[in-house]
Amino acid sequence: MTNPNERTHFAPELHIPNGTYNIDFYLNFGATEHFCLRNDDGSIHVAELEINGAIFHLHETMRWFNALEPITAKGVTAVIGLFVPNVDEVMQQAIKAGATEISPATDHEYGYRQGMFKDPFGHFWQIQKKI
């Protein structure tokens, strides 16, 4: 099997209501927690989970780009997380193809290089790589 950092794969980011303290459902469902970053009040900011090699994230609702979790949106919502070997190259390809940059590729303290764009249909894509 190829190294997960060297192949393209999806990692959904599921929004949860702000002020969520408990994600036991996912652990009881069989997920393994890689990390969980909490806000000052103890609520969950972001957690990385894995089910049988499939990584996904739970993230508090980010209002700065009008995102909603499904309860508030009264529908299904998601940010499409795409892991790739070269974040900058994929970001440039997307923008060249007509995407709008939301945030440039940046290295983060939690060990990821990430950039985000909006495609012409309004879907948000987070292009990322573990560093």
Side-chain angles (χ1 to χ4, degrees):
M1 184 169 181
T2 61
N3 179 334
N5 292 330
E6 298 302 321
R7 63 181 165 84
T8 301
H9 61 282
F10 284 99
E13 179 174 289
L14 309 176
H15 288 182
I16 56 177
N18 292 3
T20 297
Y21 294 89
N22 183 323
I23 55 171
D24 286 350
F25 164 79
Y26 299 97
L27 303 176
N28 292 335
F29 184 63
T32 302
E33 184 180 292
H34 290 185
F35 66 78
C36 183
L37 300 176
R38 295 186 177 267
N39 298 310
D40 291 341
D41 68 355
S43 64
I44 296 167
H45 173 66
V46 63
E48 180 176 273
L49 305 171
E50 177 182 339
I51 298 176
N52 296 326
I55 294 172
F56 67 102
H57 298 93
L58 300 176
H59 201 295
E60 67 182 336
T61 302
M62 295 178 282
R63 305 271 185 226
W64 62 269
F65 64 88
N66 296 323
L68 298 172
E69 75 281 358
I71 294 168
T72 303
K74 297 182 170 77
V76 177
T77 61
V79 169
I80 301 163
L82 184 64
F83 281 83
V84 298
N86 188 325
V87 173
D88 298 273
E89 180 179 284
V90 173
M91 287 291 293
Q92 290 170 3
Q93 286 175 315
I95 291 164
K96 184 177 179 184
T100 302
E101 184 178 76
I102 301 301
S103 60
T106 305
D107 291 345
H108 295 279
E109 70 279 357
Y110 46 86
Y112 279 70
R113 179 163 186 77
Q114 297 173 310
M116 186 177 284
F117 66 82
K118 180 173 69 170
D119 72 21
F121 299 99
H123 299 287
F124 283 78
W125 291 74
Q126 183 161 264
I127 307 304
Q128 52 198 341
K129 174 182 180 166
K130 285 189 174 185
I131 52 176

